[in-house]
DNA sequence: CCCCTATCCTGAGGGC
DNA sequence: TGCCCTCAGGATAGGG
């Protein structure tokens, strides 16, 4: 599933091809994936707009379309946002097709339809609940801010649950939560408030490390994820624990265990992660 | 506040 | 070969 590193890879791929480009036509839009309030205006407001920014916030992709409106995409589980020549046949489950003046089409495809697209000024989207208020950015220079440390100190939830909470940390999903816990040698089932300061620091230092490493490898593709051009990422082979239940721990060799934590499949090493 | 579960949804993979 | 079943999970809503 696309998490921060995958979404960041897509944004970096798309940005140079979208900046300064004009959207000529909304070729196709599936209303089911378009969240209000942007749904009604979308088809009329978007053609003729020029892209003047492409950015990531958590797992959301913001395509700025002249102030104040923007197109915001969340890829959910199986979403892809890909640039293709307009003459290429669109694959099934393509829910949005935007024709650019470069002759390329920006295509949003999502077989499982867990993803969403919305359109409007950011404040308005937040006000109506189409965009959630997100927590700290793991790639920011100032990470981790006091707010994240405080959230961990305060919370009686599991470490895993706090890492997955987008209101605390934006962009962390199941893969990188497990990877960060492994690197920090913290068991994901631990109560967040019971971590020592040393463990907490190690965990919060580990998160940007595993994420930057995954970005370097252009993201983790184990099923649906593709970059901005439709290619797979290479990070899956380098993961410590995710998807490796039953295999040997890369650090100590003991068999990695699988458990259900905070409603998610969680893989960790019994020996390394105390 | 916190947890769990159901919901949305399709494709992959195992069993037979 | 092919069918059926299960499972995967990000976000959210609702119940305990």
């Amino acid at each position: 599933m696309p998490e921060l590193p995958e979404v960041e890879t897509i944004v970096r791929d798309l940005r140079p091809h979208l900046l300064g480009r004009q959207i000529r036509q909304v070729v196709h839009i599936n209303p089911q994936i378009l969240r209000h309030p942007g749904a009604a205006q979308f088809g009329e407001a978007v053609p003729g707009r020029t892209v003047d920014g492409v950015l990531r916030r958590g797992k959301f992709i913001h395509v700025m379309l002249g102030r104040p409106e923007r197109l915001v995409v969340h890829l959910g589980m199986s979403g892809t946002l890909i640039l293709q020549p307009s003459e290429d046949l669109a694959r099934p489950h393509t829910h949005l097709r935007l024709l650019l003046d470069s002759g390329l089409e920006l295509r949003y495809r999502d077989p499982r339809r867990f993803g969403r697209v919305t359109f409007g000024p950011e404040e308005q989207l937040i006000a109506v609940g189409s965009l959630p208020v997100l927590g700290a950015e793991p790639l920011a220079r100032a990470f981790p801010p006091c707010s994240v440390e405080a959230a961990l100190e305060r919370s009686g939830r599991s470490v895993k649950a706090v890492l997955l909470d987008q209101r605390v940390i934006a962009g962390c999903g199941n893969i990188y939560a497990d990877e960060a816990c492994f690197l920090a040698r913290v068991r994901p089932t631990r109560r967040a408030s019971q971590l020592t300061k040393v463990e907490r620091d190690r965990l919060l230092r580990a998160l940007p490390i595993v994420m930057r490493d995954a970005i370097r490898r252009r993201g983790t593709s184990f099923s649906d994820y593709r970059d901005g051009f439709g290619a797979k990422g290479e990070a899956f082979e380098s993961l410590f624990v995710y998807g490796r239940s039953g295999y040997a721990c890369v650090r100590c060799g003991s068999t990695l265990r699988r458990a259900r934590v905070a409603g998610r499949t969680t893989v960790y090493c019994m020996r390394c992660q105390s």
Side-chain angles (χ1 to χ4, degrees):
Chain A
M1 71 242 61
E3 301 179 25
L4 186 152
E6 290 74 36
V7 176
E8 180 66 24
T9 301
I10 291 169
V11 164
R12 291 181 187 181
D13 285 350
L14 296 181
R15 186 179 287 129
H17 294 270
L18 290 182
L19 274 181
R21 294 266 76 94
Q22 191 186 57
I23 296 171
R24 282 274 159 76
Q25 187 193 345
V26 179
V27 180
H28 169 70
I29 173 80
N30 174 2
Q32 196 199 339
I33 56 103
L34 196 58
R35 277 200 189 193
H36 290 271
Q41 313 98 290
F42 188 83
E44 285 171 21
V46 167
R49 297 279 186 123
T50 298
V51 178
D52 60 354
V54 182
L55 57 92
R56 179 194 59 74
R57 183 79 179 88
K59 300 175 194 171
F60 290 83
I61 299 167
H62 294 238
V63 180
M64 323 292 283
L65 295 171
R67 288 179 196 187
E69 285 88 2
R70 58 184 71 188
L71 176 69
V72 183
V73 179
H74 192 294
L75 299 171
M77 287 293 304
S78 58
T80 54
L81 194 62
I82 293 175
L83 273 168
Q84 291 180 318
S86 59
E87 60 268 24
D88 283 11
L89 204 63
R91 300 181 66 189
H93 309 297
T94 300
H95 305 300
L96 177 62
R97 299 173 59 183
L98 299 177
L99 178 63
L100 307 175
D101 59 1
S102 59
L104 292 174
E105 259 187 37
L106 182 65
R107 291 175 176 168
Y108 169 69
R109 179 175 180 263
D110 184 11
R112 289 181 221 183
R113 276 180 276 156
F114 281 13
R116 284 291 177 273
V117 172
T118 189
F119 172 76
E122 186 176 31
E123 301 84 63
Q124 190 190 354
L125 297 178
I126 291 171
V128 300
S130 286
L131 269 186
V133 177
L134 295 170
E137 280 290 339
L139 300 187
R141 287 225 178 274
F143 188 87
C146 302
S147 60
V148 174
E149 298 200 61
L152 282 165
E153 276 177 75
R154 170 177 358 110
S155 178
R157 309 153 80 189
S158 63
V159 165
K160 175 100 176 207
V162 177
L163 289 177
L164 292 176
D165 189 339
Q166 302 298 300
R167 295 167 300 183
V168 178
I169 298 169
C172 184
N174 204 30
I175 298 174
Y176 300 104
D178 279 8
E179 294 299 298
C181 285
F182 176 84
L183 191 59
R185 304 196 304 282
V186 168
R187 196 173 292 197
T189 52
R190 291 271 298 281
R191 300 304 99 187
S193 57
Q194 287 171 357
L195 294 185
T196 65
K197 173 154 176 53
V198 169
E199 288 171 326
R200 205 165 49 234
D201 287 349
R202 236 164 39 208
L203 181 65
L204 294 177
R205 240 194 296 270
L207 190 62
I209 291 173
V210 296
M211 286 183 163
R212 286 185 207 279
D213 198 56
I215 292 170
R216 229 169 282 132
R217 298 171 200 276
R218 305 191 51 76
T220 299
S221 292
F222 71 96
S223 58
D224 298 294
Y225 164 71
R226 296 295 183 274
D227 67 21
F229 309 116
K232 290 189 180 191
E234 304 297 329
F236 187 64
E237 294 82 28
S238 312
L239 298 180
F240 299 121
V241 284
Y242 183 84
R244 297 194 67 246
S245 165
Y247 293 90
C249 168
V250 295
R251 194 163 165 274
C252 79
S254 64
T255 306
L256 296 175
R257 277 180 79 99
R258 183 159 74 152
R260 200 98 184 148
V261 184
R264 308 276 159 208
T265 298
T266 301
V267 185
Y268 64 93
C269 176
M270 289 274 283
R271 198 141 119 208
C272 295
Q273 294 170 267
S274 57

